[in-house]
Amino acid sequence: MSHDFTFDIKSVRFDEHYRPAENTRTTTNFANLARGEQREENLRNTLTMIDNRFNALAHWDNPRADRYAVELDIITGELSVGAEDEDDTFPAIEMLKTTIIDKHADKRIPGMVGNNFSSYVRDYDFSVWLSEHNRDRSEFGIPEGFGDLHGKLFKLFVDSDAYRASFSKPPVICLSVSSSKVYCQTDNRHPVLGVEYANDESSLTDFYFGKMGLQVRYFMPPHAVAPLAFYFSGDLLSDYTDLELISAISTMETFQKIYRPEIYNANSVAGKIYQPSLEHQDYSLTRIVYDREERSQLAVEQGKFTERHFIKPYRHVLEQWSADYSL
């Protein structure tokens, strides 16, 4: 029986009225905010933070800091595992697409695609496979082939006809820096991305995203307090406009202030030699409600969901496809 892996793209507006679909990962940044009694207030405050940060960075020809607004859409890459007698789909990848609203010029400008990134398979890899591999081990280790399937699925998605028909540029994914690594400030400065940091030792996330064909650079934007990790293919500084870069910074810095305030809403700025810490106590909280402990528990549940509904039922098919698909 032959199988053909194809992607279809679904898009849902992320605004104050957003309600997560049943198949949306509940640990996803945007889905986690849209829960509970304060969901609409959470969402409004988050979107306001994004707009304010965007206008602060895009300050030219913007004296009142109100020229721009950012519109967000949740992009889901639904994977079809097609066969002669079946056609099952799985929500393999979710990202955010930004659209920049220029209120002065009355036009819509495509922003960055990528930003937040989530994946059920990544939940399985980290919360189930990696955890089981290291159970009862005296030293932490990475299982053979870790990240290979996920990396190949991501590359298939970006190279798919569906992605190319919808987006003109590869995605840029923006994440927190690792609390287990030390980052050193360099002499490189970018007018939008800010001061660049570097580290001598890759993190597990760097390794995992490398399997997706992405490299990483670390920048602390103007008036930020900690660097962000930007994962990309191509040339981050040349392939994207200033407004595209600002759309990524304003969106993901806002999420990080909510989810990791110890790092991104700290009351002191990262020094020339910097190690992030979630134990840091000198920070401010946003007005946005979020349960980080619950989010960690859900990651395990969703990893097991992926194992039951995707990894185990299609194990043979996935292994055969992965062996034939070249990284």
Side-chain angles (χ1 to χ4, degrees), residues 8-24:
D8 186 26
I9 288 179
K10 302 292 179 62
S11 178
V12 176
R13 178 62 45 81
F14 178 71
D15 56 20
E16 64 185 80
H17 306 297
Y18 168 70
R19 291 185 181 274
E22 289 185 3
N23 62 357
T24 294

Side-chain angles (χ1 to χ4, degrees), residues 193-206:
L193 291 169
V195 59
E196 184 166 19
Y197 278 73
N199 65 3
D200 295 331
E201 184 182 8
S202 296
S203 68
L204 181 56
T205 300
D206 297 343

Side-chain angles (χ1 to χ4, degrees), residues 281-325:
Q281 296 298 308
D282 184 22
Y283 64 92
S284 300
L285 290 172
T286 67
R287 295 177 57 192
I288 297 164
V289 178
Y290 164 63
D291 188 335
R292 186 160 63 196
E293 182 177 350
E294 179 190 44
R295 188 169 184 252
S296 298
Q297 295 169 350
L298 287 169
V300 177
E301 292 179 16
Q302 292 177 168
K304 292 178 179 178
F305 168 87
T306 307
E307 183 178 38
R308 291 193 305 270
H309 296 280
F310 186 64
I311 299 297
K312 284 186 174 179
Y314 295 104
R315 185 176 298 278
H316 176 70
V317 174
L318 293 170
E319 288 176 350
Q320 184 179 32
W321 174 81
S322 184
D324 294 337
Y325 187 91

